[in-house]
Amino acid sequence: MHHFHQLKATKVSKETNDCIHIGFEIPDHLKHEFSFKQGQYINVRFVFGEEDLRRSYSIINAPSEDNPELEILVKHLDQGKVSTYLNQELKEGDLVEIMAPSGHFYTHYHVSNEKTYIGLAAGSGISPVLSNIKEALYQEPKSSAYLFFSNRSFVDIIFKKEIDELVEKFDGRLKVIFLVSREKHFEDELFEGRISAEKLDLLFQRFTDIPVQESTYFICGPSEMIKGISDYLKKEKKVPSLQIMYEYYAAPDEEGNAEMSEEFKAIPNLESMVTLIIDDDEYSFHLNSKKNSILDQALAEKLPVPFACKGGVCCTCKAQVMEGEVFMDKNFALTEDEVARGFVLTCQCHPTTNVVMLNYDV
Ligand code: FES
């Protein structure tokens, strides 16, 4: 169920100076497996020599668009081997290993809804936010949306042309405010700077028609932005948590090293027999609770475990605890409901009982 497929890149175009826009062709026999929901992502894999590198990229498209394709945006990171390859080497016609879409950065839409959706995005965080906003506007003719989108400068605004076309297409139902953090805004200095709790407070004072407490929020950007804004919405504006959705694209730095956390230090030091169920096969190995994560040990044992970020963000390594108990350090991906049902991120897990069984097939 977590297999990579080779898909052909059919569109490779520069979006901005440091972002590439890539589209993939989905062959007929994979159409069902690659159907997606708004806000989901795909994992890509590249093997460079001995290194097996995996990255997650959000899908830009909305399922209800005419002829929805599978497209992603990849921002070039200076030290990023995969993003450098995709930005500088990938050509149309090349094959890329891709896993079927996953993730749950979305809400459910209904034609009778009359809601307000608010997208808060910074830089390449626009992809899953835009996908959700588009889907809401397509599926709910009586709903409207605001998009607050910050970039370094006007030339760096990602998807500017598409966003302008959407504003026209949805005729008054989509309002977009571009913010720039490293140059003057020609309209209003309120639109200068990054999106923060303080900035959002000022924006709400300006856009008084936004029903702040009743709106549904989609947030994607740097971790401090997500944390600051979601705390502000929950605590200051009393927005119910279920109306605030956010997607991290990297683990928050301040969370630090999992192996150094006080909670990790407090777990018992024991030897465990860990059994993993992967694609109906069972694999077992011994693991000390204070050593590797379960995922790292499984990789060391060369087991076919699914993974991507290894940072508790992407959810690719999700499994369900069938027997025993584990300690999970970071979790930026699983919902409260999933945790209550025994799902864990194996890249963040250490056994805390002598016998542990996890199932990746659920
Ligand atoms: S590999 Fe991404 S959450 Fe574990």
Side-chain angles (χ1 to χ4, degrees):
M1 64 187 294
H2 295 289
H3 302 296
F4 283 93
H5 300 276
Q6 294 212 318
L7 299 188
K8 191 193 285 180
T10 49
K11 167 181 181 174
V12 179
S13 62
K14 267 273 180 235
E15 177 62 33
T16 61
N17 280 336
D18 59 359
C19 289
I20 196 101
H21 184 162
I22 306 168
F24 297 99
E25 180 179 81
I26 313 293
D28 284 345
H29 70 283
L30 290 177
K31 285 242 164 22
H32 178 69
E33 193 174 343
F34 275 80
S35 63
F36 61 90
K37 287 191 164 61
Q38 60 281 2
Q40 287 195 310
Y41 61 84
I42 51 171
N43 289 322
V44 301
R45 173 167 72 180
F46 286 90
V47 179
F48 296 129
E50 294 284 291
E51 282 186 296
D52 177 342
L53 300 177
R54 304 177 184 204
R55 299 289 181 268
S56 307
Y57 295 108
S58 291
I59 299 167
I60 301 159
N61 318 83
S64 296
E65 281 179 274
D66 295 338
N67 302 317
E69 298 183 339
L70 190 77
E71 295 172 51
I72 58 172
L73 176 93
V74 179
K75 180 175 178 176
H76 177 232
L77 303 173
D78 286 342
Q79 306 299 325
K81 288 186 183 170
V82 172
S83 72
T84 300
Y85 176 82
L86 290 171
N87 270 270
Q88 297 176 359
E89 309 277 337
L90 188 78
K91 303 179 302 301
E92 286 179 11
D94 286 355
L95 295 175
V96 178
E97 285 192 84
I98 301 181
M99 203 183 273
S102 55
H104 40 234
F105 179 62
Y106 59 80
T107 187
H108 297 285
Y109 300 110
H110 192 273
V111 65
S112 63
N113 282 348
E114 194 170 347
K115 293 187 173 183
T116 303
Y117 297 95
I118 300 182
L120 298 158
S124 57
I126 185 64
S127 299
V129 173
L130 190 61
S131 170
N132 268 289
I133 295 277
K134 285 191 284 191
E135 190 67 11
L137 294 171
Y138 278 114
Q139 283 210 31
E140 299 184 353
K142 288 184 274 187
S143 290
S144 59
Y146 283 79
L147 173 63
F148 296 97
F149 182 24
S150 83
N151 288 272
R152 279 176 306 210
S153 65
F154 284 101
V155 293
D156 290 311
I157 294 177
I158 299 164
F159 303 136
K160 175 77 168 64
K161 185 164 171 282
E162 179 182 357
I163 292 171
D164 286 345
E165 285 168 3
L166 289 169
V167 169
E168 205 162 304
K169 180 184 181 107
F170 288 108
D171 195 23
R173 290 201 293 135
L174 172 62
K175 194 170 278 185
V176 180
I177 295 91
F178 293 112
L179 291 92
V180 283
S181 58
R182 294 204 197 153
E183 70 180 13
K184 291 236 72 62
H185 198 290
F186 50 79
E187 255 178 56
D188 194 324
E189 64 180 30
L190 175 62
F191 305 147
E192 290 169 14
R194 298 167 191 276
I195 305 178
S196 61
E198 297 73 32
K199 178 67 72 181
L200 197 54
D201 207 35
L202 294 171
L203 290 166
F204 285 157
Q205 287 171 34
R206 171 72 62 87
F207 297 94
T208 51
D209 54 334
I210 297 178
V212 175
Q213 208 179 343
E214 291 77 37
S215 296
T216 299
Y217 297 81
F218 298 102
I219 313 168
C220 188
S223 54
E224 67 274 14
M225 169 186 145
I226 293 177
K227 201 165 180 330
I229 291 177
S230 56
D231 280 354
Y232 159 78
L233 290 172
K234 279 184 226 167
K235 292 177 189 158
E236 305 286 323
K237 294 294 169 187
K238 309 290 180 228
V239 178
S241 314
L242 283 175
Q243 290 165 218
I244 305 170
M245 266 144 286
Y246 44 80
E247 178 92 329
Y248 284 98
Y249 48 57
D253 298 336
E254 65 273 22
E255 296 294 328
N257 184 334
E259 313 250 334
M260 300 300 289
S261 73
E262 290 306 312
E263 292 87 349
F264 178 74
K265 285 182 196 154
I267 68 171
N269 187 344
L270 53 78
E271 295 299 324
S272 181
M273 169 65 81
V274 177
T275 300
L276 305 182
I277 302 170
I278 310 167
D279 290 335
D280 290 330
D281 287 323
E282 280 190 20
Y283 305 87
S284 296
F285 51 81
H286 293 280
L287 178 60
N288 180 283
S289 58
K290 296 286 191 181
K291 297 270 169 54
N292 282 346
S293 71
I294 289 176
L295 178 80
D296 279 340
Q297 188 61 31
L299 290 171
E301 307 268 343
K302 305 222 176 310
L303 304 186
V305 275
F307 71 95
C309 74
K310 290 190 178 180
V313 173
C314 73
C315 214
T316 309
C317 66
K318 179 172 94 170
Q320 192 171 29
V321 179
M322 311 304 285
E323 189 180 349
E325 289 175 17
V326 298
F327 165 76
M328 177 167 63
D329 204 319
K330 302 180 206 166
N331 170 27
F332 307 107
L334 295 172
T335 62
E336 285 175 22
D337 178 57
E338 286 175 308
V339 173
R341 288 189 287 134
F343 285 99
V344 291
L345 301 173
T346 53
C347 69
Q348 300 299 315
C349 279
H350 299 265
T352 55
T353 50
N354 295 110
V355 174
V356 165
M357 180 183 273
L358 303 178
N359 187 356
Y360 281 91
D361 293 349
V362 283

